[in-house]
Amino acid sequence: MKKVNIAVVGATGMVGRTFLKVLEERDFPYEKIYCYASKRSAGMKVKCKGEDIIVEELTESSFDRDIDIALFSAGGATSEKFAPIAASKGVIVIDNSSHFRMHDEVPLVVPEVNPEAIWQHKNIIANPNCSTIQAMVALKPLQDQYGLDRVVISTYQAVSGSGVKGVTDLEEGLKGSTETLAYPHPIANNCIPHIDVFMDNGYTKEEMKMIDETKKILNDAELKVTATAVRVPLYDCHSEALNVQLSKEFEIEDIFKLYEAYDGIILQDDVSNNVYPLATTAKGTDDVYIGRIRRDFSIDNGINIWVVADNIRKGAASNAIQIAEVLINR
Ligand code: A2P
């Protein structure tokens, strides 16, 4: 692997810290690493591969040094302003915000699914929405083998997806507080069918992200996709029920074989022994767990699947770093 210089933007945040952890765990071959956050965090220390790194304030001159790849997770407004500045200086930005995802000239990439799209980049590559990423890993083998007619995604999303405020709402809510920082209602003891803002069409922005991003990543603008996104009182890992109508007939055993052979997927489906994907299994890993595979008898060529992944890792930091690995391994 080629050694490169890396920048982490938003290094003090939940995803930013996970970038550092995953870079270390995967022994990503960087030569130098620079960490940026807001002015408030300037001077703070973070750690990667045993080295203390001083966090610097992100400014317009942050990319005037020799940086090859910048991993951004500091919110859409920061990406909107600073990713183009970095890109104009020759840095390849891998951006975790939703800001650039639907831009025509920006590839939206899940490395197991559409790695070839990476090479269309003009120095900005977008990391998809956390719920979209794990759904894509589950859908791609089905699309390749049978074609997809329609997909219904129902999510059960953990509070870590809302950052520190979401985690605080659950922690304090479990102690009896009804005050909230991240949500319009207490998350403790509730499933809240409301993630991000409501759009004019009655969907939430999170649901529309899943719908639009799915079509872009699977390169099928005509694919019928719908989604319901729900926040649930879990700290980590998103779970999803996928209901899929395939374009061709299938045998259920062949679906098992397909998933068994697929990179990045762990098949856990042995219901007679109560084996199926759980958040507690997926936590801390970079894989997508698939199980509860069963025929949907109510439609032609229908199938139901349960999909679980770590939303901060595969749904954010690890997916971005896997994109960076593809870039440096060319
Ligand atoms: P800071 O800690 O200094 O506020 P999270 O998503 O967990 O809230 O993390 C957001 C990350 O983005 C943090 O590292 C935060 O830094 C960083 N960030 C937020 N706003 C800015 C900004 N205007 N410029 C640079 N970094 C920012």
Side-chain angles (χ1 to χ4, degrees):
M1 276 200 210
K2 198 170 90 193
K3 284 215 167 189
V4 292
N5 295 340
I6 291 271
V8 173
V9 177
T12 52
M14 202 174 274
V15 173
R17 287 176 185 276
T18 311
F19 279 142
L20 299 175
K21 196 166 164 195
V22 175
L23 286 168
E24 176 170 323
E25 278 176 24
R26 295 177 78 95
D27 197 17
F28 188 94
Y30 64 76
E31 189 86 49
K32 287 196 192 125
I33 184 162
Y34 303 101
C35 287
Y36 298 113
S38 77
K39 197 174 182 170
R40 320 178 259 285
S41 305
M44 212 172 134
K45 275 186 196 155
V46 289
K47 245 188 171 37
C48 192
K49 297 195 189 182
E51 177 197 355
D52 281 331
I53 305 148
I54 308 282
V55 176
E56 297 173 65
E57 181 189 353
L58 180 69
T59 66
E60 291 183 18
S61 55
S62 294
F63 303 96
D64 289 348
R65 34 174 62 142
D66 184 17
I67 295 170
D68 300 287
I69 296 174
L71 304 166
F72 270 63
S73 191
T78 306
S79 293
E80 181 179 9
K81 179 169 176 195
F82 290 96
I85 294 174
S88 73
K89 293 181 176 167
V91 178
I92 302 177
V93 172
I94 304 173
D95 180 35
N96 194 48
S97 83
S98 61
H99 186 78
F100 294 101
R101 288 182 192 150
M102 296 310 294
H103 286 208
D104 282 344
E105 74 287 6
V106 174
L108 183 63
V109 178
V110 181
E112 297 91 331
V113 175
N114 61 339
E116 67 293 340
I118 289 177
W119 306 113
Q120 288 154 21
H121 77 80
K122 297 195 169 72
N123 285 2
I124 301 180
I125 299 168
N127 214 32
N129 165 274
C130 45
S131 294
T132 309
I133 290 176
Q134 65 188 76
M136 294 310 97
V137 177
L139 290 173
K140 176 66 172 169
L142 300 178
Q143 184 192 36
D144 285 349
Q145 195 72 22
Y146 302 99
L148 302 174
D149 279 356
R150 179 168 187 254
V151 182
V152 182
I153 311 174
S154 307
T155 73
Y156 306 73
Q157 299 183 218
V159 297
S160 54
S162 317
V164 175
K165 288 180 180 171
V167 173
T168 306
D169 276 5
L170 180 55
E171 261 168 13
E172 296 303 315
L174 289 172
K175 291 182 206 156
S177 170
T178 51
E179 305 271 309
T180 64
L181 298 169
Y183 307 118
H185 303 282
I187 185 66
N189 301 312
N190 276 323
C191 294
I192 304 178
H194 175 182
I195 301 181
D196 210 330
V197 295
F198 281 105
M199 317 283 287
D200 289 342
N201 64 5
Y203 282 76
T204 58
K205 201 169 170 192
E206 180 83 353
E207 290 161 349
M208 290 312 300
K209 281 182 216 164
M210 270 185 268
I211 293 168
D212 295 336
E213 293 177 22
T214 295
K215 294 178 188 185
K216 178 166 176 176
I217 296 165
L218 295 178
N219 196 21
D220 182 357
E222 303 307 313
L223 181 63
K224 292 178 191 142
V225 191
T226 190
T228 303
V230 180
R231 189 73 67 189
V232 297
L234 282 191
Y235 286 109
D236 293 302
C237 296
H238 291 350
S239 304
E240 293 177 359
L242 300 186
N243 176 259
V244 187
Q245 186 159 30
L246 301 175
S247 312
K248 284 190 212 154
E249 286 182 11
F250 67 92
E251 295 301 331
I252 206 87
E253 310 80 68
D254 292 334
I255 305 285
F256 278 77
K257 284 186 201 146
L258 205 55
Y259 282 138
E260 249 160 14
Y262 206 76
D263 236 18
I265 288 178
I266 295 191
L267 179 66
Q268 290 194 317
D269 196 322
D270 177 10
V271 288
S272 60
N273 287 306
N274 300 337
V275 173
Y276 32 74
L278 292 172
T280 45
T281 316
K283 185 172 160 56
T285 76
D286 294 336
D287 294 305
V288 174
Y289 292 74
I290 292 183
R292 293 297 323 280
I293 299 170
R294 62 214 188 276
R295 192 174 286 279
D296 174 358
F297 297 107
S298 71
I299 49 170
D300 289 337
N301 309 324
I303 186 161
N304 284 308
I305 305 164
W306 181 247
V307 184
V308 182
D310 187 320
N311 55 307
I312 303 293
R313 291 183 61 111
K314 184 56 188 164
S318 303
N319 194 75
I321 289 168
Q322 288 165 337
I323 293 171
E325 287 171 349
V326 175
L327 284 170
I328 63 170
N329 281 321
R330 191 178 203 185

